[in-house]
Amino acid sequence: QKEVEQDPGPLSVPEGAIVSLNCTYSNSAFQYFMWYRQYSRKGPELLMYTYSSGNKEDGRFTAQVDKSSKYISLFIRDSQPSDSATYLCAIGGRGNEKLTFGTGTRLTIIP
Amino acid sequence: NAGVTQTPKFQVLKTGQSMTLQCAQDMNHEYMSWYRQDPGMGLRLIHYSVGAGITDQGEVPNGYNVSRSTTEDFPLRLLSAAPSQTSVYFCATKNNYGYTFGSGTRLTVV
């Protein structure tokens, strides 16, 4: 079993829809939870960074962490074609010195 | 402010050749790291450093060497390239707000 599981997709949704992306993890010692967006042939770009269970909102993006279920989510509201990218979840343990990444979900927003 | 700069952007090596991937940052972050990204595997940690003179292994360190003589630079050395090292390599720094990645080096070993 991988430490972090993420559905690779691909996922296609119409413009304006709400997108839900998810990851599950197995190690209860994980403490830091991140979502990255990666455009084709570019480096990952940090979208959201949370430490605790609960919700964190930034513009059209909401990150949700449920430590009891070992489940994290990223919601994108009012999705735009520019949101088309691969989304990576990343989880860090104590000290956040080593990130474990999901394999990424490829998202396409259809105009 | 360039952030994290990686050079070269592309490289083709023959099996057995050696090379160094360069990573430089101008954010004065103590932490730097190297990841490789392969299809279906996600990003995997190769080596990391929490400060000048301090390095440690990640998940996939075999075949790679690192050293950290300055805060700004963290080069990754391939001593004898193998086809299994064909990948995209990313350098990253970290502060209290998360990780910042470079734009990557696409390496092909033939």
Side-chain angles (χ1 to χ4, degrees):
Chain A
Q1 181 190 6
K2 291 182 180 179
E3 283 194 293
V4 178
E5 297 274 4
Q6 183 176 10
D7 187 338
L11 181 62
S12 295
V13 300
E15 182 176 356
I18 296 175
V19 177
S20 172
L21 303 166
N22 311 292
C23 287
T24 59
Y25 62 95
S26 58
N27 189 342
S28 59
F30 285 142
Q31 298 178 346
Y32 301 88
F33 307 92
M34 286 152 271
W35 285 95
Y36 286 85
R37 177 175 62 195
Q38 186 175 25
Y39 292 114
S40 181
R41 295 184 175 265
K42 301 291 186 183
E45 170 194 10
L46 181 65
L47 284 176
M48 303 291 282
Y49 178 36
T50 59
Y51 175 73
S52 58
S53 282
N55 293 352
K56 181 177 181 180
E57 189 174 319
D58 185 0
R60 296 185 295 112
F61 299 92
T62 299
Q64 195 172 76
V65 175
D66 182 347
K67 286 188 177 181
S68 62
S69 301
K70 300 188 184 68
Y71 191 87
I72 66 172
S73 300
L74 178 71
F75 298 96
I76 307 173
R77 292 183 298 280
D78 188 24
S79 55
Q80 304 294 312
S82 58
D83 294 328
S84 297
T86 296
Y87 289 80
L88 305 163
C89 63
I91 305 179
R94 184 179 173 189
N96 202 21
E97 292 177 348
K98 300 180 182 181
L99 286 185
T100 301
F101 280 84
T103 53
T105 299
R106 190 168 178 182
L107 173 66
T108 300
I109 306 299
I110 303 166
Chain B
N1 184 350
V4 180
T5 302
Q6 292 185 236
T7 56
K9 293 191 182 303
F10 303 94
Q11 184 71 49
V12 178
L13 285 180
K14 293 182 179 179
T15 298
Q17 286 186 318
S18 63
M19 80 159 293
T20 300
L21 280 64
Q22 302 291 347
C23 177
Q25 55 112 351
D26 61 1
M27 298 177 287
N28 202 33
H29 291 170
E30 292 294 328
Y31 178 98
M32 296 184 76
S33 56
W34 279 100
Y35 285 81
R36 59 177 288 173
Q37 187 173 33
D38 303 291
M41 301 289 292
L43 284 97
R44 292 178 293 167
L45 180 63
I46 304 171
H47 286 286
Y48 67 100
S49 169
V50 297
I54 306 169
T55 64
D56 206 347
Q57 296 181 351
E59 180 184 356
V60 288
N62 292 342
Y64 307 96
N65 275 2
V66 293
S67 60
R68 184 94 178 271
S69 56
T70 68
T71 299
E72 294 78 20
D73 300 295
F74 190 43
L76 178 71
R77 282 180 287 275
L78 282 70
L79 303 178
S80 178
S84 61
Q85 294 178 305
T86 294
S87 187
V88 183
Y89 292 84
F90 290 101
C91 178
T93 69
K94 176 177 75 76
N95 63 5
N96 290 338
Y97 303 101
Y99 283 67
T100 301
F101 283 83
S103 57
T105 294
R106 191 171 295 267
L107 176 68
T108 302
V109 183
V110 297

